[in-house]
mmCIF file of all heavy atoms in Angstrom:
data_model
loop_
_atom_site.group_PDB
_atom_site.id
_atom_site.type_symbol
_atom_site.label_atom_id
_atom_site.label_comp_id
_atom_site.label_asym_id
_atom_site.label_seq_id
_atom_site.Cartn_x
_atom_site.Cartn_y
_atom_site.Cartn_z
ATOM 1 N N GLU V 1143 -4.341 -4.635 2.981
ATOM 2 C CA GLU V 1143 -3.407 -4.914 1.881
ATOM 3 C C GLU V 1143 -4.024 -5.905 0.893
ATOM 4 O O GLU V 1143 -3.950 -5.716 -0.330
ATOM 5 C CB GLU V 1143 -2.104 -5.490 2.439
ATOM 6 C CG GLU V 1143 -1.230 -4.497 3.158
ATOM 7 C CD GLU V 1143 0.118 -5.107 3.509
ATOM 8 O OE1 GLU V 1143 0.630 -5.943 2.738
ATOM 9 O OE2 GLU V 1143 0.670 -4.756 4.571
ATOM 10 N N ARG V 1144 -4.602 -6.961 1.423
ATOM 11 C CA ARG V 1144 -5.169 -8.004 0.560
ATOM 12 C C ARG V 1144 -6.279 -7.469 -0.332
ATOM 13 O O ARG V 1144 -6.432 -7.889 -1.482
ATOM 14 C CB ARG V 1144 -5.721 -9.142 1.428
ATOM 15 C CG ARG V 1144 -6.101 -10.393 0.648
ATOM 16 C CD ARG V 1144 -6.933 -11.324 1.492
ATOM 17 N NE ARG V 1144 -8.271 -10.783 1.703
ATOM 18 C CZ ARG V 1144 -9.157 -11.284 2.559
ATOM 19 N NH1 ARG V 1144 -8.836 -12.316 3.316
ATOM 20 N NH2 ARG V 1144 -10.358 -10.753 2.679
ATOM 21 N N GLU V 1145 -7.028 -6.496 0.175
ATOM 22 C CA GLU V 1145 -8.134 -5.924 -0.584
ATOM 23 C C GLU V 1145 -7.694 -4.799 -1.523
ATOM 24 O O GLU V 1145 -8.519 -4.187 -2.200
ATOM 25 C CB GLU V 1145 -9.215 -5.400 0.367
ATOM 26 C CG GLU V 1145 -9.894 -6.484 1.170
ATOM 27 C CD GLU V 1145 -10.646 -7.481 0.305
ATOM 28 O OE1 GLU V 1145 -11.272 -7.045 -0.682
ATOM 29 O OE2 GLU V 1145 -10.601 -8.687 0.612
ATOM 30 N N GLY V 1146 -6.395 -4.523 -1.565
ATOM 31 C CA GLY V 1146 -5.898 -3.495 -2.471
ATOM 32 C C GLY V 1146 -6.141 -2.083 -1.992
ATOM 33 O O GLY V 1146 -6.117 -1.142 -2.789
ATOM 34 N N LEU V 1147 -6.339 -1.896 -0.692
ATOM 35 C CA LEU V 1147 -6.569 -0.564 -0.137
ATOM 36 C C LEU V 1147 -5.275 0.063 0.373
ATOM 37 O O LEU V 1147 -5.181 1.280 0.547
ATOM 38 C CB LEU V 1147 -7.596 -0.636 0.985
ATOM 39 C CG LEU V 1147 -8.933 -1.290 0.577
ATOM 40 C CD1 LEU V 1147 -9.880 -1.367 1.761
ATOM 41 C CD2 LEU V 1147 -9.582 -0.554 -0.579
ATOM 42 N N LEU V 1148 -4.267 -0.773 0.598
ATOM 43 C CA LEU V 1148 -2.903 -0.347 0.883
ATOM 44 C C LEU V 1148 -1.977 -1.063 -0.088
ATOM 45 O O LEU V 1148 -2.245 -2.197 -0.474
ATOM 46 C CB LEU V 1148 -2.494 -0.699 2.323
ATOM 47 C CG LEU V 1148 -3.217 -0.010 3.480
ATOM 48 C CD1 LEU V 1148 -2.714 -0.567 4.806
ATOM 49 C CD2 LEU V 1148 -3.012 1.494 3.429
ATOM 50 N N ALA V 1149 -0.895 -0.403 -0.449
ATOM 51 C CA ALA V 1149 0.066 -1.018 -1.368
ATOM 52 C C ALA V 1149 1.471 -0.572 -0.985
ATOM 53 O O ALA V 1149 1.657 0.498 -0.387
ATOM 54 C CB ALA V 1149 -0.248 -0.617 -2.813
ATOM 55 N N PRO V 1150 2.497 -1.386 -1.323
ATOM 56 C CA PRO V 1150 3.880 -1.017 -0.980
ATOM 57 C C PRO V 1150 4.308 0.256 -1.707
ATOM 58 O O PRO V 1150 4.017 0.432 -2.884
ATOM 59 C CB PRO V 1150 4.698 -2.228 -1.461
ATOM 60 C CG PRO V 1150 3.716 -3.349 -1.548
ATOM 61 C CD PRO V 1150 2.412 -2.722 -1.930
ATOM 62 N N ARG V 1151 5.007 1.113 -0.973
ATOM 63 C CA ARG V 1151 5.531 2.335 -1.576
ATOM 64 C C ARG V 1151 6.721 1.990 -2.473
ATOM 65 O O ARG V 1151 7.515 1.100 -2.163
ATOM 66 C CB ARG V 1151 5.949 3.302 -0.466
ATOM 67 C CG ARG V 1151 6.333 4.684 -0.953
ATOM 68 C CD ARG V 1151 6.666 5.571 0.232
ATOM 69 N NE ARG V 1151 5.510 5.776 1.085
ATOM 70 C CZ ARG V 1151 4.537 6.638 0.818
ATOM 71 N NH1 ARG V 1151 4.574 7.363 -0.287
ATOM 72 N NH2 ARG V 1151 3.522 6.767 1.649
ATOM 73 N N SER V 1152 6.842 2.668 -3.581
ATOM 74 C CA SER V 1152 7.961 2.449 -4.488
ATOM 75 C C SER V 1152 9.274 2.661 -3.747
ATOM 76 O O SER V 1152 9.439 3.639 -3.009
ATOM 77 C CB SER V 1152 7.873 3.428 -5.666
ATOM 78 O OG SER V 1152 8.985 3.285 -6.521
ATOM 79 N N GLY V 1153 10.194 1.686 -3.915
ATOM 80 C CA GLY V 1153 11.471 1.782 -3.238
ATOM 81 C C GLY V 1153 11.429 1.328 -1.800
ATOM 82 O O GLY V 1153 12.371 1.548 -1.039
ATOM 83 N N ALA V 1154 10.308 0.651 -1.414
ATOM 84 C CA ALA V 1154 10.172 0.230 -0.013
ATOM 85 C C ALA V 1154 11.041 -0.968 0.318
ATOM 86 O O ALA V 1154 11.189 -1.330 1.477
ATOM 87 C CB ALA V 1154 8.712 -0.103 0.294
ATOM 88 N N GLY V 1155 11.615 -1.604 -0.695
ATOM 89 C CA GLY V 1155 12.458 -2.758 -0.431
ATOM 90 C C GLY V 1155 11.683 -4.057 -0.515
ATOM 91 O O GLY V 1155 10.480 -4.083 -0.754
ATOM 92 N N LEU V 1156 12.376 -5.136 -0.291
ATOM 93 C CA LEU V 1156 11.780 -6.458 -0.462
ATOM 94 C C LEU V 1156 10.660 -6.729 0.525
ATOM 95 O O LEU V 1156 9.731 -7.464 0.244
ATOM 96 C CB LEU V 1156 12.867 -7.536 -0.322
ATOM 97 C CG LEU V 1156 13.946 -7.543 -1.409
ATOM 98 C CD1 LEU V 1156 14.995 -8.607 -1.093
ATOM 99 C CD2 LEU V 1156 13.329 -7.800 -2.779
ATOM 100 N N HIS V 1157 10.732 -6.152 1.702
ATOM 101 C CA HIS V 1157 9.745 -6.472 2.736
ATOM 102 C C HIS V 1157 8.464 -5.659 2.606
ATOM 103 O O HIS V 1157 7.449 -5.996 3.200
ATOM 104 C CB HIS V 1157 10.359 -6.269 4.123
ATOM 105 C CG HIS V 1157 11.542 -7.151 4.385
ATOM 106 N ND1 HIS V 1157 11.439 -8.518 4.504
ATOM 107 C CD2 HIS V 1157 12.849 -6.848 4.522
ATOM 108 C CE1 HIS V 1157 12.647 -9.036 4.725
ATOM 109 N NE2 HIS V 1157 13.516 -8.049 4.739
ATOM 110 N N GLY V 1158 8.499 -4.595 1.828
ATOM 111 C CA GLY V 1158 7.271 -3.815 1.612
ATOM 112 C C GLY V 1158 6.672 -3.252 2.885
ATOM 113 O O GLY V 1158 5.461 -3.186 3.038
ATOM 114 N N ASP V 1159 7.542 -2.844 3.850
ATOM 115 C CA ASP V 1159 7.036 -2.364 5.132
ATOM 116 C C ASP V 1159 6.422 -0.977 5.030
ATOM 117 O O ASP V 1159 5.574 -0.613 5.838
ATOM 118 C CB ASP V 1159 8.162 -2.344 6.170
ATOM 119 C CG ASP V 1159 8.669 -3.752 6.478
ATOM 120 O OD1 ASP V 1159 7.922 -4.702 6.217
ATOM 121 O OD2 ASP V 1159 9.800 -3.872 6.969
ATOM 122 N N TRP V 1160 6.868 -0.151 4.079
ATOM 123 C CA TRP V 1160 6.349 1.203 3.920
ATOM 124 C C TRP V 1160 5.272 1.207 2.857
ATOM 125 O O TRP V 1160 5.469 0.711 1.750
ATOM 126 C CB TRP V 1160 7.472 2.165 3.561
ATOM 127 C CG TRP V 1160 8.458 2.296 4.682
ATOM 128 C CD1 TRP V 1160 9.611 1.590 4.855
ATOM 129 C CD2 TRP V 1160 8.342 3.149 5.812
ATOM 130 N NE1 TRP V 1160 10.226 1.952 6.014
ATOM 131 C CE2 TRP V 1160 9.481 2.915 6.635
ATOM 132 C CE3 TRP V 1160 7.402 4.100 6.219
ATOM 133 C CZ2 TRP V 1160 9.686 3.588 7.832
ATOM 134 C CZ3 TRP V 1160 7.620 4.780 7.403
ATOM 135 C CH2 TRP V 1160 8.742 4.519 8.198
ATOM 136 N N MET V 1161 4.127 1.765 3.208
ATOM 137 C CA MET V 1161 2.943 1.620 2.365
ATOM 138 C C MET V 1161 2.345 2.977 2.023
ATOM 139 O O MET V 1161 2.676 3.995 2.640
ATOM 140 C CB MET V 1161 1.881 0.778 3.097
ATOM 141 C CG MET V 1161 2.386 -0.495 3.748
ATOM 142 S SD MET V 1161 2.927 -1.744 2.552
ATOM 143 C CE MET V 1161 1.349 -2.243 1.885
ATOM 144 N N PHE V 1162 1.455 2.968 1.042
ATOM 145 C CA PHE V 1162 0.633 4.146 0.774
ATOM 146 C C PHE V 1162 -0.818 3.699 0.611
ATOM 147 O O PHE V 1162 -1.105 2.528 0.334
ATOM 148 C CB PHE V 1162 1.116 4.897 -0.477
ATOM 149 C CG PHE V 1162 0.873 4.165 -1.783
ATOM 150 C CD1 PHE V 1162 -0.263 4.427 -2.545
ATOM 151 C CD2 PHE V 1162 1.790 3.236 -2.256
ATOM 152 C CE1 PHE V 1162 -0.494 3.765 -3.746
ATOM 153 C CE2 PHE V 1162 1.574 2.568 -3.454
ATOM 154 C CZ PHE V 1162 0.440 2.841 -4.204
ATOM 155 N N ILE V 1163 -1.734 4.644 0.828
ATOM 156 C CA ILE V 1163 -3.156 4.356 0.650
ATOM 157 C C ILE V 1163 -3.474 4.445 -0.836
ATOM 158 O O ILE V 1163 -3.168 5.447 -1.486
ATOM 159 C CB ILE V 1163 -4.027 5.359 1.432
ATOM 160 C CG1 ILE V 1163 -3.625 5.380 2.907
ATOM 161 C CG2 ILE V 1163 -5.504 5.009 1.302
ATOM 162 C CD1 ILE V 1163 -4.273 6.486 3.706
ATOM 163 N N THR V 1164 -4.054 3.405 -1.389
ATOM 164 C CA THR V 1164 -4.354 3.385 -2.816
ATOM 165 C C THR V 1164 -5.517 4.327 -3.143
ATOM 166 O O THR V 1164 -6.195 4.833 -2.245
ATOM 167 C CB THR V 1164 -4.720 1.968 -3.280
ATOM 168 O OG1 THR V 1164 -5.940 1.566 -2.628
ATOM 169 C CG2 THR V 1164 -3.618 0.966 -2.937
ATOM 170 N N ARG V 1165 -5.734 4.552 -4.423
ATOM 171 C CA ARG V 1165 -6.856 5.406 -4.837
ATOM 172 C C ARG V 1165 -8.177 4.842 -4.332
ATOM 173 O O ARG V 1165 -9.053 5.586 -3.882
ATOM 174 C CB ARG V 1165 -6.873 5.541 -6.362
ATOM 175 C CG ARG V 1165 -5.760 6.427 -6.908
ATOM 176 C CD ARG V 1165 -5.672 6.343 -8.403
ATOM 177 N NE ARG V 1165 -5.222 5.027 -8.836
ATOM 178 C CZ ARG V 1165 -5.163 4.637 -10.114
ATOM 179 N NH1 ARG V 1165 -5.559 5.452 -11.077
ATOM 180 N NH2 ARG V 1165 -4.729 3.436 -10.433
ATOM 181 N N ARG V 1166 -8.303 3.528 -4.390
ATOM 182 C CA ARG V 1166 -9.527 2.915 -3.855
ATOM 183 C C ARG V 1166 -9.627 3.148 -2.357
ATOM 184 O O ARG V 1166 -10.696 3.444 -1.823
ATOM 185 C CB ARG V 1166 -9.546 1.421 -4.165
ATOM 186 C CG ARG V 1166 -10.757 0.684 -3.618
ATOM 187 C CD ARG V 1166 -10.743 -0.778 -4.002
ATOM 188 N NE ARG V 1166 -10.971 -0.947 -5.426
ATOM 189 C CZ ARG V 1166 -10.889 -2.116 -6.064
ATOM 190 N NH1 ARG V 1166 -10.575 -3.214 -5.391
ATOM 191 N NH2 ARG V 1166 -11.124 -2.196 -7.349
ATOM 192 N N GLY V 1167 -8.512 3.014 -1.655
ATOM 193 C CA GLY V 1167 -8.505 3.243 -0.213
ATOM 194 C C GLY V 1167 -8.851 4.674 0.138
ATOM 195 O O GLY V 1167 -9.534 4.943 1.129
ATOM 196 N N ARG V 1168 -8.377 5.644 -0.682
ATOM 197 C CA ARG V 1168 -8.695 7.045 -0.443
ATOM 198 C C ARG V 1168 -10.188 7.325 -0.598
ATOM 199 O O ARG V 1168 -10.726 8.244 0.016
ATOM 200 C CB ARG V 1168 -7.913 7.924 -1.428
ATOM 201 C CG ARG V 1168 -6.434 8.036 -1.138
ATOM 202 C CD ARG V 1168 -6.193 8.870 0.065
ATOM 203 N NE ARG V 1168 -4.768 9.125 0.277
ATOM 204 C CZ ARG V 1168 -4.269 9.589 1.404
ATOM 205 N NH1 ARG V 1168 -5.070 9.831 2.422
ATOM 206 N NH2 ARG V 1168 -2.976 9.794 1.535
ATOM 207 N N SER V 1169 -10.849 6.539 -1.439
ATOM 208 C CA SER V 1169 -12.277 6.780 -1.681
ATOM 209 C C SER V 1169 -13.152 6.288 -0.532
ATOM 210 O O SER V 1169 -14.332 6.617 -0.464
ATOM 211 C CB SER V 1169 -12.715 6.091 -2.987
ATOM 212 O OG SER V 1169 -12.740 4.679 -2.842
#
């Protein structure tokens, strides 16, 4: 998360528990 390879999914709420793999992470 800190490196920007995971990010909170839109609508995940305040805790940001649900994530997606960022474009950088996919690479």
Side-chain angles (χ1 to χ4, degrees):
E1143 288 188 34
R1144 191 194 71 190
E1145 295 297 321
L1147 305 178
L1148 294 177
R1151 188 177 296 281
S1152 177
L1156 294 177
H1157 299 293
D1159 295 339
W1160 295 94
M1161 313 292 289
F1162 70 95
I1163 305 171
T1164 65
R1165 287 170 292 174
R1166 178 178 291 174
R1168 287 288 187 195
S1169 71

